[in-house]
Amino acid sequence: MYSNENEDLNDRGIMQAKRLKNTIENLDYDIVISSPLIRTRHTAQIINAKNKTILIDNRLEERNPGDLNGKPISFTNREEYWNHYTKIQYGTSENIQKFFGRVYDFLDELKTKNYEQVLIVAHSGVSKAFSGYFEGIKDGKFLNRGLKNCEIKEYEL
């Protein structure tokens, strides 16, 4: 189901975050930056093993599904929905190029900061945009280029 609801973590999400905290304990990071949605802020609090400052940045919010919100995933062609080169606009959903642009803006600004290591807590769609930024757009197909819940990936700016 398409959803951009501002819901908290369920029990499974809390368990996944607690497991991830064990990995985070071994990482050196200066700051945590999180999407403003409740579930990501909660995840950031759980995994912040070093008790660093948590900043909220709206540009890390998940792609807005617009009037697709609450509709089953089968309502669209998912491959096309996550195709950077698509000409299809699904209702009032956020355009993928504009979505990537907002995430890229965040990353470009992050380059100007004096952080050595940043822990970013966001969403699968945001991780797709990160993939495009760091690994290139390639064929434009991003459906399978996102991270799963509480999966971690390291990039260098």
Side-chain angles (χ1 to χ4, degrees):
M1 180 178 304
Y2 287 96
S3 178
N4 203 26
E5 296 297 321
N6 199 8
E7 299 172 338
D8 202 352
L9 294 172
N10 58 26
D11 291 341
R12 182 175 178 206
I14 291 170
M15 182 183 65
Q16 289 172 330
K18 286 180 178 177
R19 269 198 311 259
L20 179 59
K21 181 178 181 178
N22 294 332
T23 302
I24 301 300
E25 288 175 337
N26 299 320
L27 297 179
D28 186 26
Y29 57 94
D30 304 314
I31 194 163
V32 180
I33 305 176
S34 174
S35 156
L37 297 183
I38 293 169
R39 64 188 177 270
T40 47
R41 291 191 339 243
H42 193 176
T43 300
Q45 291 168 350
I46 293 170
I47 68 172
N48 188 6
K50 299 190 184 322
N51 203 27
K52 299 287 185 163
T53 299
I54 300 174
L55 297 179
I56 304 300
D57 195 301
N58 292 341
R59 294 171 293 184
L60 294 174
E61 191 170 323
E62 182 60 285
R63 182 179 179 191
N64 188 331
D67 58 5
L68 294 177
N69 197 40
K71 292 199 164 78
I73 288 175
S74 61
F75 192 76
T76 65
N77 175 332
R78 296 282 294 156
E79 186 80 31
E80 197 62 28
Y81 183 80
W82 286 107
N83 180 348
H84 191 268
Y85 299 117
T86 190
K87 303 286 188 229
I88 298 172
Q89 176 62 44
Y90 287 103
T92 61
S93 64
E94 186 174 10
N95 174 280
I96 190 170
Q97 291 97 2
K98 288 182 182 176
F99 169 61
F100 276 34
R102 115 168 112 84
V103 175
Y104 289 9
D105 182 61
F106 164 80
L107 291 167
D108 287 341
E109 183 180 310
L110 191 58
K111 285 180 182 178
T112 69
K113 306 296 182 184
N114 291 322
Y115 304 127
E116 289 292 319
Q117 302 245 358
V118 177
L119 182 61
I120 297 171
V121 184
H123 309 275
S124 178
V126 173
S127 73
K128 289 171 172 62
F130 274 40
S131 172
Y133 188 89
F134 290 102
E135 300 166 19
I137 300 299
K138 300 178 186 174
D139 64 2
K141 296 178 181 180
F142 283 88
L143 179 61
N144 297 315
R145 286 177 62 180
L147 300 178
K148 295 176 179 51
N149 288 348
C150 287
E151 189 174 6
I152 192 167
K153 185 162 187 172
E154 187 174 336
Y155 290 109
E156 188 170 323
L157 276 175

